[in-house]
Amino acid sequence: MDRLAETWAAKAAEWRRVRDVVAQAGWPVYAPEGDVEGAEWAREREERRAAVLKEAAAAEVRRREAADELRTEVWLPAAPGRLIRAAAARAGLRPDEVLAQVAQRVTVSEDGTISVPPFTPNV
């Protein structure tokens, strides 16, 4: 409720300012192009609006990309786990980064066979 009261108080203050600008300039009606302060505020509002729209668009892109991602926890037996940790250490990566690179290279044949061509993990 306080936010609503603040908003209306700000609007009332702005209308009083506009009234005073019109009276001081002797205009028959308000002319926004002649109101330097109002024009500056309008420009700033438009910049904030454009920034919010740009961020909203970027957030939508991130949301769509996240919907395609797969996050999982993998428990590997000791031997494969050691191999992954060793490969990660040699490449200067974390084990999950090596597994992500493995997953990016997975191919699935027509008969459903899954394979990963040989590669060297890299940063």
Side-chain angles (χ1 to χ4, degrees):
M1 202 61 174
D2 290 338
R3 175 90 170 128
L4 182 61
E6 289 172 9
T7 299
W8 281 105
K11 287 181 184 230
E14 175 60 7
W15 279 113
R16 283 191 299 275
R17 188 194 69 77
V18 168
R19 178 199 61 204
D20 295 343
V21 167
V22 169
Q24 288 172 0
W27 299 334
V29 295
Y30 178 67
E33 61 277 357
D35 182 359
V36 176
E37 187 175 355
E40 177 66 16
W41 288 351
R43 185 188 60 72
E44 290 171 0
R45 258 192 321 273
E46 186 54 37
E47 287 174 359
R48 284 191 305 273
R49 180 180 177 277
V52 166
L53 290 175
K54 182 178 178 181
E55 177 53 35
E60 178 62 20
V61 167
R62 287 191 302 272
R63 186 192 65 76
R64 285 185 185 150
E65 288 174 352
D68 290 340
E69 292 178 356
L70 172 64
R71 295 183 184 269
T72 186
E73 187 172 322
V74 178
W75 291 85
L76 297 174
R82 281 192 296 274
L83 291 173
I84 294 293
R85 281 193 297 278
R90 280 193 305 272
L93 299 168
R94 296 186 321 263
D96 62 301
E97 293 171 320
V98 172
L99 289 174
Q101 290 184 23
V102 169
Q104 289 170 346
R105 291 166 172 81
V106 165
T107 59
V108 181
S109 67
E110 289 182 16
D111 67 356
T113 304
I114 298 173
S115 62
V116 178
F119 74 98
T120 302
N122 56 25
V123 178

